[in-house]
PDB file of all heavy atoms in Angstrom:
ATOM      1  N   SER A  72      59.410  56.515  91.280  1.00 97.00           N
ATOM      2  CA  SER A  72      58.901  57.091  92.589  1.00 97.00           C
ATOM      3  C   SER A  72      59.946  58.037  93.084  1.00 97.00           C
ATOM      4  O   SER A  72      59.691  59.176  93.698  1.00 97.00           O
ATOM      5  CB  SER A  72      58.754  56.081  93.689  1.00 97.00           C
ATOM      6  OG  SER A  72      57.805  55.165  93.174  1.00 97.00           O
ATOM      7  N   GLU A  73      61.194  57.662  92.918  1.00 98.00           N
ATOM      8  CA  GLU A  73      62.375  58.384  93.487  1.00 98.00           C
ATOM      9  C   GLU A  73      62.459  59.774  92.816  1.00 98.00           C
ATOM     10  O   GLU A  73      62.657  60.821  93.534  1.00 98.00           O
ATOM     11  CB  GLU A  73      63.637  57.549  93.343  1.00 98.00           C
ATOM     12  CG  GLU A  73      64.728  58.023  94.313  1.00 98.00           C
ATOM     13  CD  GLU A  73      65.961  57.190  94.233  1.00 98.00           C
ATOM     14  OE1 GLU A  73      65.915  56.049  93.815  1.00 98.00           O
ATOM     15  OE2 GLU A  73      67.095  57.736  94.433  1.00 98.00           O
ATOM     16  N   VAL A  74      62.308  59.668  91.480  1.00 98.00           N
ATOM     17  CA  VAL A  74      62.535  61.075  90.792  1.00 98.00           C
ATOM     18  C   VAL A  74      61.407  61.995  91.080  1.00 98.00           C
ATOM     19  O   VAL A  74      61.621  63.224  91.299  1.00 98.00           O
ATOM     20  CB  VAL A  74      62.688  60.957  89.251  1.00 98.00           C
ATOM     21  CG1 VAL A  74      64.034  60.371  88.961  1.00 98.00           C
ATOM     22  CG2 VAL A  74      61.570  60.263  88.595  1.00 98.00           C
ATOM     23  N   ILE A  75      60.132  61.464  91.382  1.00 97.00           N
ATOM     24  CA  ILE A  75      59.080  62.253  91.556  1.00 97.00           C
ATOM     25  C   ILE A  75      59.182  62.939  93.008  1.00 97.00           C
ATOM     26  O   ILE A  75      59.164  64.168  93.209  1.00 97.00           O
ATOM     27  CB  ILE A  75      57.774  61.521  91.690  1.00 97.00           C
ATOM     28  CG1 ILE A  75      57.415  61.006  90.219  1.00 97.00           C
ATOM     29  CG2 ILE A  75      56.590  62.221  92.285  1.00 97.00           C
ATOM     30  CD1 ILE A  75      56.871  62.017  89.298  1.00 97.00           C
ATOM     31  N   GLN A  76      59.795  62.120  93.910  1.00 97.00           N
ATOM     32  CA  GLN A  76      60.067  62.638  95.298  1.00 97.00           C
ATOM     33  C   GLN A  76      61.168  63.644  95.322  1.00 97.00           C
ATOM     34  O   GLN A  76      61.060  64.762  95.839  1.00 97.00           O
ATOM     35  CB  GLN A  76      60.505  61.474  96.130  1.00 97.00           C
ATOM     36  CG  GLN A  76      59.464  61.038  97.164  1.00 97.00           C
ATOM     37  CD  GLN A  76      60.023  59.801  97.959  1.00 97.00           C
ATOM     38  OE1 GLN A  76      61.212  59.671  98.048  1.00 97.00           O
ATOM     39  NE2 GLN A  76      59.158  59.171  98.674  1.00 97.00           N
ATOM     40  N   GLN A  77      62.290  63.366  94.576  1.00 98.00           N
ATOM     41  CA  GLN A  77      63.429  64.256  94.512  1.00 98.00           C
ATOM     42  C   GLN A  77      63.209  65.589  94.038  1.00 98.00           C
ATOM     43  O   GLN A  77      63.625  66.528  94.242  1.00 98.00           O
ATOM     44  CB  GLN A  77      64.540  63.628  93.823  1.00 98.00           C
ATOM     45  CG  GLN A  77      65.399  62.565  94.619  1.00 98.00           C
ATOM     46  CD  GLN A  77      66.595  62.060  93.824  1.00 98.00           C
ATOM     47  OE1 GLN A  77      66.897  62.665  92.864  1.00 98.00           O
ATOM     48  NE2 GLN A  77      67.184  61.059  94.258  1.00 98.00           N
ATOM     49  N   ALA A  78      62.228  65.539  92.977  1.00 97.00           N
ATOM     50  CA  ALA A  78      61.935  66.782  92.186  1.00 97.00           C
ATOM     51  C   ALA A  78      60.966  67.624  93.018  1.00 97.00           C
ATOM     52  O   ALA A  78      60.757  68.786  92.689  1.00 97.00           O
ATOM     53  CB  ALA A  78      61.343  66.452  90.852  1.00 97.00           C
ATOM     54  N   GLU A  79      60.374  66.998  94.118  1.00 96.00           N
ATOM     55  CA  GLU A  79      59.490  67.771  94.870  1.00 96.00           C
ATOM     56  C   GLU A  79      58.267  68.171  94.117  1.00 96.00           C
ATOM     57  O   GLU A  79      57.842  69.374  94.283  1.00 96.00           O
ATOM     58  CB  GLU A  79      60.030  68.890  95.709  1.00 96.00           C
ATOM     59  CG  GLU A  79      61.038  68.306  96.814  1.00 96.00           C
ATOM     60  CD  GLU A  79      61.647  69.393  97.611  1.00 96.00           C
ATOM     61  OE1 GLU A  79      61.092  70.399  97.734  1.00 96.00           O
ATOM     62  OE2 GLU A  79      62.825  69.174  98.231  1.00 96.00           O
ATOM     63  N   VAL A  80      57.771  67.306  93.282  1.00 94.00           N
ATOM     64  CA  VAL A  80      56.606  67.696  92.555  1.00 94.00           C
ATOM     65  C   VAL A  80      55.619  66.544  92.786  1.00 94.00           C
ATOM     66  O   VAL A  80      55.884  65.501  93.368  1.00 94.00           O
ATOM     67  CB  VAL A  80      56.758  67.742  90.991  1.00 94.00           C
ATOM     68  CG1 VAL A  80      57.712  68.774  90.535  1.00 94.00           C
ATOM     69  CG2 VAL A  80      57.480  66.321  90.456  1.00 94.00           C
ATOM     70  N   SER A  81      54.264  66.872  92.549  1.00 92.00           N
ATOM     71  CA  SER A  81      53.294  65.920  92.802  1.00 92.00           C
ATOM     72  C   SER A  81      52.729  65.578  91.354  1.00 92.00           C
ATOM     73  O   SER A  81      53.030  66.334  90.345  1.00 92.00           O
ATOM     74  CB  SER A  81      52.184  66.378  93.648  1.00 92.00           C
ATOM     75  OG  SER A  81      51.609  67.553  93.090  1.00 92.00           O
ATOM     76  N   GLU A  82      51.851  64.642  91.285  1.00 92.00           N
ATOM     77  CA  GLU A  82      51.300  64.277  90.020  1.00 92.00           C
ATOM     78  C   GLU A  82      50.700  65.393  89.187  1.00 92.00           C
ATOM     79  O   GLU A  82      50.778  65.542  88.040  1.00 92.00           O
ATOM     80  CB  GLU A  82      50.345  63.171  90.303  1.00 92.00           C
ATOM     81  CG  GLU A  82      49.256  62.952  89.390  1.00 92.00           C
ATOM     82  CD  GLU A  82      48.078  62.126  90.143  1.00 92.00           C
ATOM     83  OE1 GLU A  82      48.279  61.548  91.156  1.00 92.00           O
ATOM     84  OE2 GLU A  82      46.925  62.336  89.719  1.00 92.00           O
ATOM     85  N   GLY A  83      50.099  66.362  90.082  1.00 94.00           N
ATOM     86  CA  GLY A  83      49.414  67.461  89.361  1.00 94.00           C
ATOM     87  C   GLY A  83      50.388  68.462  88.759  1.00 94.00           C
ATOM     88  O   GLY A  83      49.949  69.222  87.794  1.00 94.00           O
ATOM     89  N   ASP A  84      51.544  68.384  89.192  1.00 96.00           N
ATOM     90  CA  ASP A  84      52.629  69.335  88.616  1.00 96.00           C
ATOM     91  C   ASP A  84      53.293  68.734  87.307  1.00 96.00           C
ATOM     92  O   ASP A  84      54.002  69.606  86.610  1.00 96.00           O
ATOM     93  CB  ASP A  84      53.777  69.546  89.528  1.00 96.00           C
ATOM     94  CG  ASP A  84      53.282  70.200  91.017  1.00 96.00           C
ATOM     95  OD1 ASP A  84      52.486  71.000  90.872  1.00 96.00           O
ATOM     96  OD2 ASP A  84      53.936  69.737  91.969  1.00 96.00           O
ATOM     97  N   ILE A  85      53.020  67.502  87.080  1.00 98.00           N
ATOM     98  CA  ILE A  85      53.627  66.880  85.844  1.00 98.00           C
ATOM     99  C   ILE A  85      52.653  67.181  84.728  1.00 98.00           C
ATOM    100  O   ILE A  85      51.541  66.982  84.669  1.00 98.00           O
ATOM    101  CB  ILE A  85      53.730  65.381  85.969  1.00 98.00           C
ATOM    102  CG1 ILE A  85      54.638  64.997  87.194  1.00 98.00           C
ATOM    103  CG2 ILE A  85      54.277  64.655  84.772  1.00 98.00           C
ATOM    104  CD1 ILE A  85      56.079  65.390  86.968  1.00 98.00           C
ATOM    105  N   ASN A  86      53.219  67.803  83.521  1.00 98.00           N
ATOM    106  CA  ASN A  86      52.503  68.114  82.305  1.00 98.00           C
ATOM    107  C   ASN A  86      52.385  67.079  81.297  1.00 98.00           C
ATOM    108  O   ASN A  86      51.458  67.054  80.519  1.00 98.00           O
ATOM    109  CB  ASN A  86      53.117  69.372  81.639  1.00 98.00           C
ATOM    110  CG  ASN A  86      53.028  70.594  82.585  1.00 98.00           C
ATOM    111  OD1 ASN A  86      53.864  70.746  83.417  1.00 98.00           O
ATOM    112  ND2 ASN A  86      52.084  71.469  82.404  1.00 98.00           N
ATOM    113  N   ALA A  87      53.460  66.194  81.361  1.00 98.00           N
ATOM    114  CA  ALA A  87      53.345  65.085  80.351  1.00 98.00           C
ATOM    115  C   ALA A  87      54.345  64.061  80.649  1.00 98.00           C
ATOM    116  O   ALA A  87      55.221  64.171  81.524  1.00 98.00           O
ATOM    117  CB  ALA A  87      53.715  65.698  78.881  1.00 98.00           C
ATOM    118  N   ILE A  88      54.087  62.805  80.186  1.00 98.00           N
ATOM    119  CA  ILE A  88      55.019  61.690  80.462  1.00 98.00           C
ATOM    120  C   ILE A  88      55.700  61.253  79.068  1.00 98.00           C
ATOM    121  O   ILE A  88      54.922  61.053  77.988  1.00 98.00           O
ATOM    122  CB  ILE A  88      54.211  60.302  80.880  1.00 98.00           C
ATOM    123  CG1 ILE A  88      53.007  60.699  81.752  1.00 98.00           C
ATOM    124  CG2 ILE A  88      55.115  59.161  81.307  1.00 98.00           C
ATOM    125  CD1 ILE A  88      53.407  61.058  83.174  1.00 98.00           C
ATOM    126  N   ALA A  89      56.989  61.306  79.102  1.00 98.00           N
ATOM    127  CA  ALA A  89      57.741  60.947  77.821  1.00 98.00           C
ATOM    128  C   ALA A  89      58.517  59.742  78.071  1.00 98.00           C
ATOM    129  O   ALA A  89      58.941  59.422  79.051  1.00 98.00           O
ATOM    130  CB  ALA A  89      58.717  62.178  77.566  1.00 98.00           C
ATOM    131  N   VAL A  90      58.598  58.884  76.885  1.00 98.00           N
ATOM    132  CA  VAL A  90      59.314  57.616  77.024  1.00 98.00           C
ATOM    133  C   VAL A  90      60.038  57.365  75.732  1.00 98.00           C
ATOM    134  O   VAL A  90      59.589  57.671  74.640  1.00 98.00           O
ATOM    135  CB  VAL A  90      58.302  56.531  77.331  1.00 98.00           C
ATOM    136  CG1 VAL A  90      57.220  56.216  76.298  1.00 98.00           C
ATOM    137  CG2 VAL A  90      58.989  55.137  77.600  1.00 98.00           C
ATOM    138  N   ALA A  91      61.219  56.831  75.966  1.00 98.00           N
ATOM    139  CA  ALA A  91      61.998  56.363  74.684  1.00 98.00           C
ATOM    140  C   ALA A  91      61.331  54.995  74.199  1.00 98.00           C
ATOM    141  O   ALA A  91      61.393  54.111  74.936  1.00 98.00           O
ATOM    142  CB  ALA A  91      63.481  56.178  75.046  1.00 98.00           C
TER     143      ALA A  91
END
Side-chain angles (χ1 to χ4, degrees):
S72 308
E73 204 177 328
V74 291
I75 296 285
Q76 255 182 18
Q77 278 183 18
E79 296 184 18
V80 291
S81 63
E82 152 199 337
D84 301 318
I85 299 286
N86 296 82
I88 318 288
V90 63

